[in-house]
Amino acid sequence: EKAVFAKDGSERFRFLPIRMTNNYKSDGERARSRDPQWLVGLEDYVVREYENAEYHRPMFIHGHFMFMNFHRFQKLGGRDGELDVQFINMLRHPVARIISQYQYLQSSARGSKRDKSNIFIEQDITLDMCVDAIVNSKLGKPSVKEEDIAELPCDGSFIIRSSQWRYFCGYDPECFAVDPEKGLEIAKDNLQHKFAFVGLLEELDLSYRALTSLFPQYFTIESTQDSKSEERENVNFEKYIVSASTRKHLMRWLDETGEMDFYHFAAALFWDKITCVMSKYWRTAHLREDFGVLIEK
């Protein structure tokens, strides 16, 4: 493979040591806003740099952007065959992701963390307080309408806007529709047929091992301890316990937006992939040991 595209909301890949690559760092806000200039800029970069990529210095494009259709790249490059590009990503349990994001936004309000989402969360309004207010509001659930948000002590719209499956759906109109049904099906189809690997944050070690097995020219486990140290440095020490009641409400709302359905679908594919990858790994180790028995010592 000459290029790997990683669409990753949590930037978790930066904690896995990545071999020297040509890297096009995208601007998350422009990518999410579907800016045509941004899309053309990335297309131009891929077409221009693809032929120059080599095994020892491959392309690794990492940032907050949606799934992209490479048929346009083929036309731009004047090619008959498809570009050899692999898509990877990392998912997190939707409830854990919402909790983490809310507390991160609170830390941003205090100035201890940096955020560019343009979502402001009052630093003294806990997630429990926010969810209770949403439950007791007229609508009784999160909304993106300004009049619904105005009656709350917090901006509950982030629960709806913070989506993982929309990254997999892409830039089609259905991917941004309020009704998630059509977009969710597109996202599932892309995940199943167009992504080489999608890891789970809850199974980080297995995800890392799979990446080093599937893409050894990109990922290495040689500096695992260093990467874990860096990960600890990024921990939000201002986190706090969230009640079981809040978690249940979040689960119900995220089920309505399709987030839970997509996560469980992705998790099933993850375990199928891990079973395949690890069985090959274990078989190789067995053959190596079997061969070692034949060597005179």
Side-chain angles (χ1 to χ4, degrees):
E1 302 83 7
K2 283 190 176 182
V4 168
F5 273 56
K7 263 74 71 188
D8 177 45
S10 67
E11 294 192 341
R12 184 63 57 170
F13 286 120
R14 77 186 188 88
F15 295 130
L16 184 62
I18 301 172
R19 298 183 188 278
M20 185 173 62
T21 61
N22 288 322
N23 187 17
Y24 180 93
K25 179 60 178 176
S26 66
D27 182 328
E29 285 302 316
R30 296 181 66 190
R32 282 193 292 268
S33 65
R34 296 175 285 171
D35 187 335
Q37 293 182 351
W38 183 91
L39 290 173
V40 171
L42 181 57
E43 290 175 349
D44 289 344
Y45 174 84
V46 172
V47 171
R48 182 177 68 252
E49 298 295 330
Y50 180 84
E51 294 298 337
N52 298 326
E54 301 174 5
Y55 181 85
H56 67 278
R57 190 178 177 85
M59 294 172 63
F60 184 88
I61 302 178
H62 171 216
H64 297 111
F65 48 90
M66 315 299 185
F67 174 79
M68 304 184 74
N69 189 331
F70 276 80
H71 291 300
R72 294 187 63 189
F73 291 172
Q74 289 177 228
K75 294 177 182 178
L76 283 171
R79 297 179 179 83
D80 295 327
E82 293 186 5
L83 299 182
D84 188 8
V85 175
Q86 300 290 332
F87 291 85
I88 59 177
N89 207 325
M90 192 81 77
L91 289 176
R92 187 174 191 177
H93 191 286
V95 173
R97 186 171 184 266
I98 288 293
I99 292 172
S100 178
Q101 183 184 12
Y102 187 92
Q103 295 180 350
Y104 185 91
L105 291 171
Q106 281 189 298
S107 296
S108 299
R110 298 186 185 100
S112 55
K113 292 287 183 180
R114 183 174 62 92
D115 178 66
K116 294 183 179 180
S117 66
N118 296 323
I119 299 177
F120 180 75
I121 299 294
E122 291 286 351
Q123 56 181 322
D124 297 325
I125 304 297
T126 67
L127 184 54
D128 287 340
M129 295 167 63
C130 180
V131 169
D132 284 343
I134 295 173
V135 171
N136 294 314
S137 65
K138 294 179 181 178
L139 191 62
K141 62 181 182 179
S143 171
V144 297
K145 295 182 179 180
E146 292 185 5
E147 57 268 29
D148 295 327
I149 297 173
E151 67 172 283
L152 299 172
C154 59
D155 184 351
S157 67
F158 84 96
I159 298 174
I160 298 175
R161 292 172 177 167
S162 181
S163 172
Q164 292 185 107
W165 67 257
R166 294 183 191 276
Y167 278 95
F168 290 79
C169 184
Y171 293 92
D172 294 334
E174 295 86 351
C175 303
F176 298 90
V178 176
D179 185 349
E181 184 176 356
K182 292 183 179 179
L184 189 59
E185 289 305 311
I186 296 174
K188 287 182 177 180
D189 184 73
N190 287 340
L191 168 63
Q192 187 168 14
H193 299 111
K194 299 176 182 178
F195 277 77
F197 180 74
V198 176
L200 300 180
L201 199 61
E202 289 73 29
E203 299 292 344
L204 197 57
D205 288 340
L206 280 176
S207 298
Y208 279 5
R209 179 57 63 89
L211 285 170
T212 58
S213 298
L214 293 168
F215 303 104
Q217 68 271 47
Y218 291 92
F219 301 103
T220 172
I221 58 175
E222 296 170 356
S223 305
T224 303
Q225 294 303 318
D226 292 339
S227 70
K228 289 184 178 180
S229 297
E230 183 181 354
E231 185 172 353
R232 285 193 294 270
E233 292 176 4
N234 198 52
V235 170
N236 183 1
F237 292 103
E238 298 175 345
K239 286 187 176 182
Y240 50 83
I241 297 175
V242 176
S243 71
S245 175
T246 292
R247 293 171 184 268
K248 289 179 181 178
H249 287 303
L250 291 174
M251 178 88 74
R252 175 166 55 85
W253 294 332
L254 291 168
D255 191 48
E256 293 176 0
T257 60
E259 293 299 317
M260 296 306 305
D261 182 16
F262 183 76
Y263 177 79
H264 291 308
F265 179 81
L269 294 180
F270 168 80
W271 287 112
D272 287 344
K273 191 74 166 185
I274 288 295
T275 300
C276 179
V277 170
M278 296 309 293
S279 64
K280 291 181 179 179
Y281 176 82
W282 289 326
R283 183 174 183 180
T284 300
H286 169 75
L287 293 175
R288 188 183 301 117
E289 180 65 25
D290 188 51
F291 179 73
V293 173
L294 304 177
I295 299 177
E296 182 178 350
K297 297 180 180 180

